[in-house]
Amino acid sequence: MVRQSGTDAPGTDEVLLQVHHRLHVRRRRQTAIASITCLLLAATPLAFTFNTGSTSPTLAETVSATVRPAPGELPAPLAGYRNSLRNHQTMTII
C-alpha cells in the first residue's frame, strides 16, 4: 500500500543559478547599505554646520585675535597650523 514517489531534486544548473542570484542580490544590498551610510556620514556634519543660527568665535579664535604678533612672526592661527604640520611630520617619521 505504500506508494513510492521520486524526489524532485533540482539540477546542477538550477542550483548554480539560484546561488548566483542570491550572491548578486546580497552584493547589491551591501552596496546600497554602504552608499547610504557614506551619504549619511557626509551629510551629518553639513546639517549641523548649516543648522546653527548664530556662530560665535571659538576660544582659540578669541585669544588669537587679542594677541598681536611680533614683527616678522606669523599670526597665531598660521603659526599653530605650521606647528601642527611639523608635529604631524615628526610623528610620521617616528
Side-chain angles (χ1 to χ4, degrees):
M1 294 274 151
V2 176
R3 285 188 178 170
Q4 290 184 346
S5 62
T7 58
D8 291 333
T12 306
D13 292 337
E14 187 178 346
V15 170
L16 288 176
L17 187 63
Q18 288 175 354
V19 169
H20 177 71
H21 177 70
R22 286 186 190 124
L23 288 175
H24 184 67
V25 168
R26 184 180 300 159
R27 190 175 302 124
R28 219 176 14 192
R29 185 179 301 137
Q30 288 174 345
T31 303
I33 289 172
S35 299
I36 291 170
T37 303
C38 288
L39 285 174
L40 286 175
L41 288 174
T44 301
L46 292 175
F48 287 122
T49 302
F50 294 126
N51 198 15
T52 58
S54 63
T55 57
S56 59
T58 62
L59 180 61
E61 291 171 338
T62 305
V63 170
S64 67
T66 60
V67 175
R68 296 286 169 220
E73 289 291 321
L74 289 173
L78 295 178
Y81 179 71
R82 184 184 63 194
N83 290 338
S84 69
L85 285 177
R86 188 180 309 129
N87 291 340
H88 176 71
Q89 290 171 346
T90 304
M91 292 305 291
T92 303
I93 291 172
I94 291 175

